[in-house]
Amino acid sequence: MIIKNSEFTISAPTVSKCPEDNKPEYAFIGRSNVGKSSLINMLCNHKGLAKTSSKPGKTLLINHFIINKEWYLVDLPGYGYAKNSKSVRAKLEQMIAQYILQRKQLMNVFVLIDIRHEQQTIDREFIDWLGKSNVPFSIIFTKADKLTAGRAKSNALLWMKKLEDTWEELPPYFITSAEKKTGKEEVLDYIESINANIQQGLEKPH
Ligand code: GTP
Ligand code: MG
């Protein structure tokens, strides 16, 4: 799929303030600093569309970007940033949970994982919660440029394999680098296939 047009729409503090036009949307979530905003900019080939920072905790609202005037990419705040106070963390987690559980237009959640690290409890708990809540999701490994291609692949495979201890069926996964523009086509084609299913009146994938 080619993104011809990407524009910022709105930053919402609650799910009730999100756009009301009922277009399909795809959200990016993961630990603070994992590269959510950078990935959105890479996919759209639009530097500065989503605000990025080398300091964690940059994104604090639910940010909608309208793509080709037809569907949305959604940049969410990161979870689990230890330097945020307990009350800020709790508020962000509530905002994220409400958005994910209540947003009917949400077609797929992309959970971003830094490809350099072993599976962390916070990510695993989040994924298990998505599963229990019946939310369709996929995994995006980020920052693949920080490893050799071989190491990136083996880390991703190992990470996915670990899910098999409780998950019967594994979600789709993608290896990406915002820096090197790796994985762009794969992620966009995946979104395109879901959009095509919606147009044919099929259900959300699970
Ligand atoms: P929060 O909004 O704070 O939760 O962070 P985020 O997940 O949106 O991360 P962001 O995109 O702001 O990127 C965090 C840092 O990681 C920035 O310094 C980026 O330049 C860097 N970064 C993001 N993606 C990549 C990547 O693919 N490769 C490399 N080398 N650095 C990356
Ligand atoms: Mg961000």
Side-chain angles (χ1 to χ4, degrees):
M1 174 171 47
I2 296 165
I3 292 189
K4 289 168 283 185
N5 193 277
S6 53
E7 283 169 57
F8 169 73
T9 307
I10 195 168
S11 291
T14 60
V15 64
S16 59
K17 298 270 166 43
C18 290
E20 287 176 4
D21 54 4
N22 219 17
K23 292 183 166 68
E25 60 193 51
Y26 300 85
F28 293 76
I29 184 75
R31 299 181 80 174
S32 206
N33 210 240
V34 69
K36 301 173 290 293
S37 304
S38 303
L39 187 76
I40 288 178
N41 293 342
M42 183 275 266
L43 293 174
C44 297
N45 206 12
H46 190 155
K47 236 182 168 179
L49 178 65
K51 292 198 184 101
T52 65
S53 169
S54 57
K55 280 193 252 143
K58 179 70 183 171
T59 309
L60 292 168
L61 295 163
I62 306 167
N63 299 292
H64 277 71
F65 302 95
I66 182 89
I67 310 300
N68 293 344
K69 307 207 185 288
E70 284 172 357
W71 49 278
Y72 291 104
L73 288 179
V74 180
D75 193 15
L76 293 171
Y79 52 70
Y81 179 42
K83 284 198 178 151
N84 276 339
S85 68
K86 244 187 176 175
S87 63
V88 168
R89 257 186 291 165
K91 208 173 148 220
L92 286 177
E93 274 163 27
Q94 194 193 18
M95 179 205 278
I96 292 165
Q98 279 180 347
Y99 166 79
I100 288 177
L101 297 177
Q102 292 175 17
R103 190 74 174 155
K104 301 256 177 336
Q105 300 90 322
L106 179 61
M107 295 300 135
N108 184 72
V109 175
F110 289 107
V111 181
L112 273 60
I113 302 289
D114 188 322
I115 200 158
R116 293 171 293 176
H117 307 316
E118 276 181 27
Q119 199 171 94
Q120 315 272 312
T121 310
I122 189 166
D123 295 316
R124 180 57 186 263
E125 283 177 356
F126 186 77
I127 285 170
D128 291 346
W129 174 76
L130 289 176
K132 271 190 230 118
S133 312
N134 259 323
V135 177
F137 72 95
S138 14
I139 306 288
I140 293 187
F141 294 99
T142 62
K143 309 194 183 183
D145 58 283
K146 302 245 189 196
L147 300 174
T148 63
R151 186 67 201 270
K153 194 158 184 205
S154 62
N155 274 15
L157 283 173
L158 208 67
W159 202 101
M160 294 304 295
K161 182 118 190 86
K162 256 197 126 203
L163 290 181
E164 284 177 2
D165 54 9
T166 59
W167 284 79
E168 265 174 41
E169 212 182 308
L170 296 186
Y173 71 93
F174 305 90
I175 296 175
T176 69
S177 159
E179 193 85 12
K180 296 262 190 286
K181 299 192 184 292
T182 315
K184 183 177 176 185
E185 289 310 315
E186 288 82 354
V187 174
L188 291 179
D189 286 352
Y190 182 67
I191 292 174
E192 188 175 32
S193 70
I194 299 175
N195 280 340
N197 279 348
I198 299 165
Q199 274 171 5
Q200 287 167 26
L202 299 176
E203 275 185 72
K204 288 187 199 183
H206 281 283

